[in-house]
Amino acid sequence: MRLATDPAFGKQTGAYVSAKSARLLTPVARADNEEARRQLWEKTTETLSRFR
């Protein structure tokens, strides 16, 4: 809830954040790969587009 309402996170996107303390986390190497993130985003939007 804090990430959705706290203005400090208003401009933050694509971050890995601790649920308990809301501190930024460093993702594991595979999750920090730009191409892998792009592919995941595309597959997710493709999958969810069926529910519009």
Side-chain angles (χ1 to χ4, degrees):
M1 182 61 95
R2 179 177 173 197
L3 294 177
T5 60
D6 188 335
F9 296 100
K11 297 191 188 301
Q12 186 79 36
T13 62
Y16 290 83
V17 182
S18 164
K20 199 171 203 178
S21 65
R23 71 178 171 83
L24 295 177
L25 301 172
T26 301
V28 295
R30 289 190 314 204
D32 203 23
N33 178 290
E34 189 172 337
E35 177 62 16
R37 289 193 313 257
R38 185 192 62 74
Q39 289 177 8
L40 176 60
W41 181 263
E42 288 177 1
K43 186 63 174 173
T44 300
T45 57
E46 175 187 320
T47 300
L48 294 177
S49 70
R50 293 181 275 173
F51 299 101
R52 289 187 190 185

